[in-house]
């Protein structure tokens, strides 16, 4: 049984990755924009902190590593499945008709995109950054191992938030893109993916660290760069995963019939 489920998951991931390559070549422009964003952020950090190391609570090397790793693993820390598109085009009902769990199908599709993204963008980005003198290696072996665990928990929390947002769209009968845009904005603003929470003023980062959004980005990135120890952050991630998944599954179970409003 487990072997069959694994083959289903692997096949779905492969189809998703190959479709991402075959459907459109515009992903090249997306990669160019992402690379430009990294270059701009690295330039800003270097200009602001390079001549005055005391101006930031974090050293410049840690900030540069944080920026590169955040973009390299952006698909994981900004998890986005095809759920919103499935709502929009009415294909969501097809996921319920297939002999596999709905969550597992979307997770497999997202994994396929992630593998494609990592091979064509993340690895070249890490190599170029290393050639330019930016340290892209984890702070320590322990940090690297804990980062792997933290990234898995980040995916779990991000996937739960994604399905909660979808459930809210069903319950409120609001346009899915309205809910999705709000979710993305909150995630990028509060997760620490762009600005490390440790550099935010007035102790704001200490507050945001307790929110579920920080469990998707700040936790793995802070562990990777050695900004903060991993035990407490992983405990927070695990706690949010335990809290959010029953809520997400419950909302979907209680409002499953409303999928007909989206083309089912």
């Amino acid at each position: 049984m487990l072997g069959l489920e694994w083959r289903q998951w692997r096949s779905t991931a492969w189809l998703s990755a190959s479709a991402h390559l075959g459907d459109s070549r515009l992903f090249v422009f997306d990669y160019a924009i992402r690379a430009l964003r990294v270059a701009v952020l690295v330039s800003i950090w270097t200009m602001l902190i390079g001549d005055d190391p005391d101006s930031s609570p974090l050293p410049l090397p840690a900030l540069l590593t944080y920026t590169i790793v955040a973009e390299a693993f952006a698909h994981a820390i900004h998890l986005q499945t095809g759920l919103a598109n499935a709502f929009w085009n009415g294909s969501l009902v097809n996921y319920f008709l297939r002999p596999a769990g709905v969550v597992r199908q979307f997770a497999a599709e997202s994994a396929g995109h992630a593998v494609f993204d990592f091979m064509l963008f993340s690895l070249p980005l890490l190599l170029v950054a290393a050639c330019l003198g930016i340290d892209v290696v984890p702070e320590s072996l322990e940090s690297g191992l804990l980062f792997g665990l933290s990234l898995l928990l980040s995916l779990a929390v991000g996937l739960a938030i994604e399905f909660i947002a979808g459930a809210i769209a069903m319950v409120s009968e609001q346009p899915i893109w309205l809910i999705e845009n709000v979710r993305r904005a909150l995630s990028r603003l509060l997760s620490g993916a762009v600005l490390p929470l440790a550099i935010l003023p007035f102790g704001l980062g200490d507050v945001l660290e307790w929110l579920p959004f920080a469990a998707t980005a700040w936790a793995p990135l802070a562990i990777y760069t050695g900004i903060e120890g991993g035990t407490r952050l992983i405990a927070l991630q695990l706690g949010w995963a335990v809290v959010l998944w029953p809520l997400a599954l419950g909302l979907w179970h209680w409002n499953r019939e409303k999928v007909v409003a989206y083309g089912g």
Side-chain angles (χ1 to χ4, degrees):
M1 185 65 179
L2 290 176
L4 176 60
E5 291 182 355
W6 164 246
R7 287 195 297 273
Q8 290 175 336
W9 191 89
R10 184 183 60 190
S11 299
T12 302
W14 170 249
L15 288 172
S16 177
S18 59
H20 191 60
L21 176 61
D23 288 349
S24 175
R25 301 296 189 270
L26 294 180
F27 67 86
V28 175
F29 295 100
D30 177 59
Y31 287 169
I33 292 173
R34 290 173 61 185
L36 179 61
R37 178 167 63 234
V38 171
V40 170
L41 285 173
V42 167
S43 299
I44 290 174
W45 292 134
T46 303
M47 287 188 297
L48 291 178
I49 304 173
D51 296 330
D52 186 10
D54 296 331
S55 63
S56 170
L58 296 179
L60 179 60
L63 280 170
L64 297 182
T65 303
Y66 191 100
T67 300
I68 297 297
V69 175
E71 196 62 51
F73 291 92
H75 193 92
I77 63 179
H78 295 304
L79 182 67
Q80 183 179 346
T81 68
L83 183 61
N85 282 326
F87 271 111
W88 179 72
N89 61 29
S91 64
L92 182 61
V93 68
N94 296 330
Y95 289 83
F96 288 95
L97 299 177
R98 296 168 186 165
V102 174
V103 173
R104 189 164 69 246
Q105 292 180 65
F106 281 109
E109 291 180 354
S110 183
H113 286 167
V115 171
F116 178 90
D117 184 81
F118 190 80
M119 296 300 294
L120 269 71
F121 178 80
S122 300
L123 279 180
L125 175 64
L126 293 171
L127 291 174
V128 170
C131 291
L132 293 176
I134 299 176
D135 186 8
V136 295
V137 178
E139 178 67 18
S140 64
L141 177 60
E142 180 184 5
S143 296
L145 295 174
L146 290 177
F147 170 75
L149 174 59
S150 180
L151 195 63
L152 290 176
L153 291 172
S154 172
L155 291 169
V157 174
L159 194 60
I161 293 175
E162 176 95 342
F163 274 82
I164 289 174
I168 291 174
M170 281 195 291
V171 172
S172 62
E173 297 184 358
Q174 294 297 315
I176 184 60
W177 292 115
L178 172 63
I179 304 298
E180 180 66 9
N181 288 336
V182 170
R183 183 191 72 83
R184 291 183 190 178
L186 289 175
S187 177
R188 292 189 177 274
L189 181 64
L190 305 178
S191 68
V194 179
L195 295 177
L197 299 185
I199 70 173
L200 297 181
F202 312 119
L204 186 59
D206 295 333
V207 176
L208 297 181
E209 194 175 75
W210 291 89
L211 299 181
F213 299 105
T216 64
W218 166 249
L221 295 175
I223 292 172
Y224 191 97
T225 54
I227 295 174
E228 192 168 334
T231 304
R232 188 175 70 86
L233 293 177
I234 288 177
L236 284 172
Q237 287 181 291
L238 183 59
W240 278 117
V242 170
V243 169
L244 294 178
W245 268 112
L247 176 61
L249 295 176
L251 286 172
W252 273 75
H253 175 73
W254 296 326
N255 298 279
R256 184 168 173 167
E257 292 79 6
K258 290 189 177 181
V259 70
V260 70
Y262 294 93

